Amino acid sequence: MSHKTVRVRFAPSPSGFMHLGNVRSALINFLFARQKEGTFVIRIEDTDQERNIDPDAGFILKDLAWLGLDYDEGPLKSGPHEPYYQSRRTALYEKYRAECQERNLIYRCFCTSEELENRRQRQLALHQPPRYDRTCLALTEDACAARVAAGSPFIWRFKLDYEKTVSFYDLGHKTMQFDLKHFSDVPITRQDGSFTFLFANFVDDKEMEITHVFRGEDHLSNTAPQVALYEAFATEAPVFWHLPILGNAQGKKLSKRDFGFSLTDLRANGYLPEAILNYLGIIGHSVEEEIMDKEKLIETFNFEHISTTGQIRYDLEKLRWMNHQWIRRSNTLELTLLCQPYLKAAHVFYETLNSEELEKLVAYIQPELITLEESPQALDFLVNRPAPSKELLESHHLSEYKPFLKNLYSHLEQLLETKTDILPVIQKMCKEESLPSKNIFVLIRIALTGKTQGLSIKDMQRILDASEIKERLTVLFS
Ligand code: GLU
């Protein structure tokens, strides 16, 4: 591995929302920068105006902040390579293009997309590698000038040396070699004069002195032509790691249709950033301990032994399990604040509770809770009167205690109205009748909550109003 000071970048295109593949790339770059005490750069790749749904990448920057992936250079921060938006770096790309023109490394191509497509189809039919046939490379200078004068639209292409093989180092695949003769001469501009991803991405990585490029495997085919560009500029190419693509349960590439693909969905459904990072930080390789926070991931992530998995399966159940682990570990007060919006949106009842009462409820569901969104469901018995089954009540000997319970209830009614603690009275009456009070308590709890364990009778008395408690208790003697 290189001994230069590490500089890595996460370079999203603001074409909507962040998906898990992006988050994983961001995380891996972040972990590497922090582990190697390097610099983590954010660069927004917004040269394709048509796909810019989120022009200033505000959503992405907020998502990164929510995830806790802090960066050293990038938008909203200063840095030696400002601006960090590609749309504001055109002059630099133009400088590189002009140098290429000067050195005769590029040529104009006037072929229309229709012509290119027809030729491509023909090549495929003849079982030839589909690459640009260099029609425009053969144009004379005069012919070229005439077309420009006539206003024919064109793009610039970087001429590859078809005799050459380029090689680069990839942490997963190790040394990779590609014969350039299999590639088309690289379009570096579009017909509207804007610069292509492949070129702008190369110029910026070079200018920003990026030492390691970790990105999705879908970019592997761009890497060989980019390495050819590095060679043309006599610059050492960075080390790469093309991260395996995330696949769904059916082994297909994870897509918008798969739940949990978009970070926005996961966030809205109450997944914690800690769980998402933990999950994405451990998939695809074996770890001694599965639950790790950011610091632990930085410390233990093994960049020296990367396995070459073809695809990593995204397992929502595993992520749910991890979320559950992180919820269990959360501070209850903080968890209460996180659950609050879900509870309040679910029922007005929660508006009536003070923060202490809410915290008590959250503490009660915390050991079982999987996502924040599921908190109203876990507390459903509070707002929807439970209907405990006869079997459950009878398994706790309801018939046997019914006469006692009826009598007890007549002593409790008044106390309930005045919100006086009913426990001492229950205990006292059990004692008088020589009945085991715990058997009575469990029946009362079943009547109030539908469950044998959970919130205490005292808590329930505090949370529910008297008439509701009375209604619930009637199953014990009616
Ligand atoms: N803008 C590219 C993407 O979002 C970045 C690829 C790279 O990291 O080089 O896929």
Side-chain angles (χ1 to χ4, degrees):
M1 224 173 263
S2 171
H3 293 292
K4 281 188 279 186
T5 314
V6 162
R7 288 180 59 82
V8 290
R9 87 298 192 275
F10 172 55
S13 304
S15 53
F17 58 88
M18 246 172 113
H19 59 71
L20 282 193
N22 298 138
V23 179
R24 183 154 188 264
S25 294
L27 172 67
I28 301 285
N29 280 292
F30 167 85
L31 294 178
F32 191 71
R34 296 293 171 258
Q35 186 179 93
K36 309 291 175 200
E37 293 174 6
T39 302
F40 181 35
V41 180
I42 302 288
R43 182 175 75 227
I44 306 300
E45 302 212 320
D46 54 353
T47 60
D48 189 349
Q49 289 305 329
E50 277 169 32
R51 294 180 58 217
N52 274 355
I53 295 170
D54 173 20
D56 287 331
F59 293 131
I60 291 177
L61 297 174
K62 276 198 198 108
D63 281 344
L64 288 171
W66 180 73
L67 289 163
L69 297 180
D70 51 304
Y71 53 93
D72 308 300
E73 290 175 27
L76 313 176
K77 282 200 171 169
S78 56
H81 298 287
E82 286 172 32
Y84 291 91
Y85 288 92
Q86 285 194 328
S87 57
R88 300 172 205 169
R89 296 172 66 81
T90 312
L92 177 71
Y93 309 139
E94 177 49 30
K95 191 181 117 204
Y96 271 78
R97 191 210 58 78
E99 184 182 333
C100 287
Q101 188 179 0
E102 181 113 317
R103 291 171 52 204
N104 222 5
L105 300 174
I106 54 176
Y107 61 93
R108 289 184 180 88
C109 171
F110 298 90
C111 298
T112 64
S113 36
E114 205 179 13
E115 286 166 344
L116 293 174
E117 184 52 28
N118 286 342
R119 278 180 239 154
R120 207 177 78 89
Q121 290 303 338
R122 207 173 318 137
Q123 284 170 330
L124 286 174
L126 296 170
H127 303 288
Q128 290 170 353
R131 59 168 204 204
Y132 178 55
D133 66 358
R134 293 186 158 170
T135 303
C136 292
L137 184 61
L139 289 177
T140 62
E141 235 172 80
D142 287 348
C144 209
R147 288 206 187 189
V148 174
S152 304
F154 64 87
I155 64 169
W156 286 100
R157 282 183 189 270
F158 174 76
K159 186 170 165 283
L160 295 172
D161 183 348
Y162 282 169
E163 306 291 306
K164 247 180 151 173
T165 299
V166 289
S167 68
F168 55 87
Y169 189 76
D170 180 285
L171 295 190
H173 299 90
K174 310 303 167 207
T175 300
M176 299 192 90
Q177 291 197 327
F178 289 90
D179 291 335
L180 290 179
K181 64 173 185 267
H182 299 309
F183 292 83
S184 294
D185 287 339
V186 185
I188 68 166
T189 55
R190 301 190 185 94
Q191 281 194 344
D192 62 5
S194 64
F195 290 89
T196 58
F197 155 76
L198 204 142
F199 189 65
N201 181 269
F202 148 73
V203 171
D204 284 341
D205 282 346
K206 175 175 158 1
E207 281 284 315
M208 295 182 178
E209 300 172 278
I210 298 301
T211 55
H212 297 76
V213 169
F214 299 160
R215 59 183 175 188
E217 201 150 56
D218 46 333
H219 285 292
L220 192 53
S221 61
N222 293 324
T223 305
Q226 286 188 321
V227 171
L229 282 163
Y230 278 101
E231 288 186 2
F233 283 85
T235 304
E236 193 188 337
V239 168
F240 291 86
W241 181 16
H242 291 90
L243 302 167
I245 297 300
L246 297 179
N248 66 13
Q250 290 74 41
K252 300 236 171 68
K253 187 176 168 187
L254 202 65
S255 79
K256 276 184 196 162
R257 280 179 299 266
D258 298 298
F259 172 78
F261 176 60
S262 128
L263 186 65
T264 315
D265 289 350
L266 288 179
R267 187 176 174 171
N269 281 269
Y271 286 81
L272 302 184
E274 293 85 348
I276 297 171
L277 294 184
N278 190 166
Y279 177 66
L280 293 175
I282 66 159
I283 50 172
H285 42 110
S286 53
V287 285
E288 274 175 29
E289 223 181 291
E290 288 202 304
I291 302 298
M292 285 191 267
D293 63 9
K294 234 168 41 177
E295 297 311 317
K296 191 88 185 155
L297 284 170
I298 293 170
E299 196 187 303
T300 58
F301 199 101
N302 192 344
F303 287 96
E304 274 70 36
H305 290 101
I306 303 290
S307 65
T308 47
T309 353
Q311 195 191 57
I312 292 182
R313 225 190 83 194
Y314 169 60
D315 180 354
L316 186 61
E317 276 313 309
K318 182 79 185 256
L319 175 59
R320 282 174 63 77
W321 175 81
M322 217 146 232
N323 206 53
H324 170 56
Q325 299 299 322
W326 278 99
I327 283 184
R328 277 180 45 183
R329 283 166 168 75
S330 300
N331 167 290
T332 307
L333 180 60
E334 280 166 24
L335 185 64
T336 307
L337 295 175
L338 294 175
C339 287
Q340 206 160 306
Y342 295 90
L343 294 170
K344 291 194 171 169
H347 206 283
V348 286
F349 165 72
Y350 297 102
E351 301 280 357
T352 66
L353 304 181
N354 64 30
S355 47
E356 202 186 310
E357 286 162 341
L358 267 177
E359 194 181 337
K360 213 165 205 155
L361 294 182
V362 171
Y364 164 62
I365 57 172
Q366 185 169 5
E368 304 299 327
L369 194 61
I370 295 179
T371 68
L372 304 177
E373 194 221 8
E374 291 167 24
S375 51
Q377 184 57 35
L379 288 170
D380 187 56
F381 68 93
L382 290 176
V383 287
N384 289 311
R385 192 174 300 153
S389 69
K390 246 198 163 80
E391 290 76 32
L392 178 64
L393 290 163
E394 281 313 325
S395 67
H396 291 87
H397 318 291
L398 175 63
S399 302
E400 194 182 316
Y401 298 122
K402 227 177 204 173
F404 170 78
L405 286 164
K406 195 164 191 163
N407 181 29
L408 173 69
Y409 180 75
S410 64
H411 285 80
L412 300 184
E413 264 186 305
Q414 192 52 37
L415 299 175
L416 289 169
E417 287 298 341
T418 54
K419 290 230 171 224
T420 312
D421 188 0
I422 58 175
L423 279 188
V425 179
I426 303 172
Q427 264 157 345
K428 185 168 155 273
M429 286 188 64
C430 285
K431 209 167 180 184
E432 282 166 11
E433 303 275 332
S434 304
L435 292 177
S437 61
K438 77 172 191 328
N439 292 10
I440 300 301
F441 284 139
V442 83
L443 281 165
I444 294 178
R445 190 176 285 148
I446 293 174
L448 294 180
T449 69
K451 298 176 184 120
T452 55
Q453 282 176 343
L455 291 181
S456 71
I457 294 169
K458 208 169 167 174
D459 289 334
M460 290 301 283
Q461 221 189 323
R462 197 159 38 188
I463 293 163
L464 297 183
D465 60 29
S467 59
E468 180 60 28
I469 297 216
K470 284 197 224 163
E471 269 310 323
R472 292 187 182 201
L473 289 178
T474 54
V475 295
L476 297 179
F477 50 82
S478 55

